[in-house]
Amino acid sequence: MRSLTFVIGTGRSGSTALSRILNTHPDVLSLNEYMASVGDAAFPDGRVSGLEFWEALFRPTPYFANMIRSGLLMPEFLYTRRPGRYSRPDTGIPALSLMVLPHLTDDPDGLLDEIGAAVIGWPDRTAAEHHEALFEWLKARLGRTAVVERSGYSTGWTQKLRTAFPYAKFVHLFRDGPDCALSMSRHPGYRVITLMREIQERTGVGSFADLTDEDVRSLPPDLAPLLNERFDPALVQDRDFPLSRFGALWSELVTRGARFLDELPAAQRMTLAYEELLDAPRQELTRLAAFAGIEPSPQWLDGACALLDDSRRGSASKQLTPAEFDELTESCAPGARALRDSPS
């Protein structure tokens, strides 16, 4: 029986730590930021050749490539910490290499070569079937039995994932709203996301592919350059953002995640609160292991507990003024209500 679990959520919610914990389990193929890396380009309609699928896995992710060229690095960019064959700015880092493969191996270039040699010759089939075949190949190559994919900012992928993999299980991971929103406000990726959402709101386009030259000319000078392959990172780093924008973003994402889970059969859904994971790590990880179909061995649980850090719990109430904290809490209220009211 195929074992495939997706951990969905807002990001900035302890999800990277969870990927590290899952990666220490001998039976888990922990696909760290796989969906964030391959994106829509790896899910075309119709049948796809092995070569076409490989090209989708190999080509740099445009959004991340522009950030790297601009010197705006996210802590999730694992490949940039251990530069390899694809570190030159003119080549770009392959989609699978930036965050997925360095999480699995100390030789991401070598594993990428192996994947390419296998995938290119695969027969025509749907994109979902290619992804399933890749998961099976990686499981066999690394000696794993269960797949758990985890990407930040992933609640927007839920319907596509359910359609592609109707048998998959889903874990909705979430963190306290104000703490999560404050973390988003300081993260370069979420600052860029917020600015890109502003560009879409100003131009009225649903996709950046629909932007016209006139749309771009209509944007103010502190937004338009972000659409270039290279931009001044100060446009992102030095901008003042109202914290309430990140509270509203958190509310939107957790509401979407909660509603999606409510649509799933009970056997395919699970919620996981980051604070509960910190309070009772053995209990919550044992529950997660049972859901994902893996054994929660004492050795794994011991090591997992050591990877959890509760030092940032309550960061919003500690670091903000009472007025700032109250405003941020208010912007998070819709999401908090959605989580509270969800039967999941």
Side-chain angles (χ1 to χ4, degrees), residues 18-217:
L18 184 60
S19 277
R20 293 194 192 105
I21 287 170
L22 290 166
N23 199 40
T24 65
H25 195 290
D27 294 331
V28 175
L29 175 64
S30 174
L31 294 179
N32 174 62
E33 304 283 6
Y34 180 83
M35 295 307 305
S37 299
V38 302
D40 285 316
F43 281 85
D45 294 330
R47 297 178 70 79
V48 180
S49 70
L51 177 58
E52 290 169 327
F53 181 62
W54 166 246
E55 289 172 347
L57 300 176
F58 186 79
R59 60 98 183 93
T61 309
Y63 171 80
F64 296 138
N66 291 354
M67 292 181 67
I68 293 170
R69 274 191 294 264
S70 302
L72 193 65
L73 301 184
M74 300 198 313
E76 292 83 355
F77 292 166
L78 299 180
Y79 193 91
T80 59
R81 300 182 199 173
R82 295 179 300 196
R85 187 192 313 160
Y86 301 101
S87 297
R88 300 195 314 274
D90 58 321
T91 59
I93 300 169
L96 277 188
S97 298
L98 185 57
M99 297 180 285
V100 181
L101 299 186
H103 179 71
L104 296 173
T105 176
D106 291 332
D107 182 19
D109 289 351
L111 185 54
L112 184 71
D113 289 343
E114 290 184 51
I115 293 170
V119 168
I120 287 175
W122 283 353
D124 291 5
R125 50 190 161 192
T126 67
E129 289 169 335
H130 275 299
H131 288 287
E132 289 172 326
L134 178 60
F135 300 163
E136 291 300 317
W137 187 94
L138 285 168
K139 283 197 301 181
R141 169 65 176 78
L142 299 173
R144 310 301 171 96
T145 60
V147 180
V148 182
E149 193 281 339
R150 193 283 314 167
S151 291
Y153 194 66
S154 54
T155 55
W157 275 95
T158 50
Q159 293 298 340
K160 184 185 291 288
L161 292 175
R162 188 182 183 189
T163 299
F165 312 106
Y167 58 91
K169 296 179 178 181
F170 291 85
V171 178
H172 184 204
L173 174 65
F174 52 85
R175 178 186 180 190
D176 172 77
D179 286 355
C180 189
L182 181 62
S183 181
M184 287 177 174
S185 75
R186 295 168 175 173
H187 188 276
Y190 284 85
R191 292 171 75 88
V192 171
I193 285 170
T194 301
L195 294 172
M196 291 300 180
R197 287 163 63 97
E198 182 177 345
I199 288 174
Q200 287 184 294
E201 290 166 5
R202 285 176 176 267
T203 59
V205 299
S207 167
F208 287 103
D210 297 330
L211 278 174
T212 66
D213 291 342
E214 185 177 347
D215 289 330
V216 176
R217 286 193 295 270

